[in-house]
Amino acid sequence: MDDMKPSALTSLIETSKPTKTSTESAYHYALSVQVLHNLEHQHDWKDLEIHTRSPIADTPLIKPLISGLPPHRIYVHPDEQIEMLKQNIQEKDIPSEREWVLPTHLREPWSLRKFASVFDKIDEVPPTVNQSADREKGKRRGGKRLLLATVGDDSTIVYYVVHDGIVKPRQN
């Protein structure tokens, strides 16, 4: 039993290193790698990337963020939902959008001020992989949003949509 190999996730965390220009702790980076692994292998996300610097100001983020393309749309703005109902368009028929993901641990305290500091350093739409810094800023209905990826002690990950500001409620 001495020649047991580490899991794929353990190997990925051990081989992934934060960039030299970032200020995040190894713990937060490993947490980001764990969430990225979950998004890629359990939820079929594509074009995933870990960001340690703000795409707006090229300054360090308070903790790493992930961007990627989910297999389907994560959030539909209420105004867009009304238009879809009028035109008889199904949610599965609309293209997905790149999303920001903020990896956190269940025991991390978060305040409105801390969320605001994250939103201040990101664009509405994450850059695509290898996109240059002089790109045109993307816009979408509802403004900035991200998925809060909360990792529990048992490695369960729960995702919540968090908006920068107040958003009108969805129609059911």
Side-chain angles (χ1 to χ4, degrees):
M1 294 289 170
D2 290 332
D3 47 322
M4 290 193 51
K5 295 181 181 178
S7 71
L9 178 58
T10 301
S11 298
L12 181 63
I13 290 171
E14 288 175 358
T15 60
S16 298
K17 302 286 186 212
T19 60
K20 291 180 183 178
T21 59
S22 63
T23 59
E24 78 281 350
S25 71
Y27 168 77
H28 286 126
Y29 197 83
L31 191 67
S32 299
V33 172
Q34 181 180 357
V35 171
L36 183 140
H37 186 269
N38 179 264
L39 290 169
E40 182 178 6
H41 296 289
Q42 298 298 317
H43 299 286
D44 298 324
W45 282 45
K46 304 290 181 220
D47 300 327
L48 290 160
E49 183 177 4
I50 295 177
H51 302 266
T52 58
R53 301 190 67 77
S54 167
I56 295 174
D58 194 33
T59 56
L61 295 167
I62 62 168
K63 59 187 303 179
L65 291 172
I66 298 169
S67 68
L69 188 63
H72 56 81
R73 183 82 69 96
I74 298 296
Y75 174 80
V76 178
H77 188 272
D79 292 340
E80 189 175 7
Q81 186 181 32
I82 291 169
E83 290 172 16
M84 290 170 53
L85 288 170
K86 287 178 182 175
Q87 298 175 15
N88 206 20
I89 298 172
Q90 302 294 313
E91 276 193 46
K92 64 179 176 58
D93 296 329
I94 58 175
S96 65
E97 299 175 317
R98 286 188 67 77
E99 297 288 346
W100 288 108
V101 181
L102 174 60
T104 63
H105 189 272
L106 184 61
R107 296 179 203 261
E108 281 183 62
W110 278 88
S111 65
L112 292 177
R113 182 181 311 251
K114 204 168 174 182
F115 278 117
S117 69
V118 172
F119 280 117
D120 287 345
K121 292 197 172 212
I122 63 173
D123 289 324
E124 283 185 27
V125 180
T128 57
V129 176
N130 299 323
Q131 187 176 33
S132 66
D134 61 351
R135 71 197 181 283
E136 186 177 308
K137 290 182 181 179
K139 298 286 183 190
R140 61 175 159 205
R141 286 186 179 171
K144 294 179 184 180
R145 69 171 180 258
L146 55 79
L147 285 179
L148 178 67
T150 305
V151 181
D153 291 334
D154 63 354
S155 296
T156 301
I157 304 175
V158 179
Y159 297 92
Y160 299 94
V161 177
V162 179
H163 292 270
D164 183 22
I166 299 172
V167 177
K168 102 181 180 185
R170 288 182 58 146
Q171 301 290 320
N172 287 332

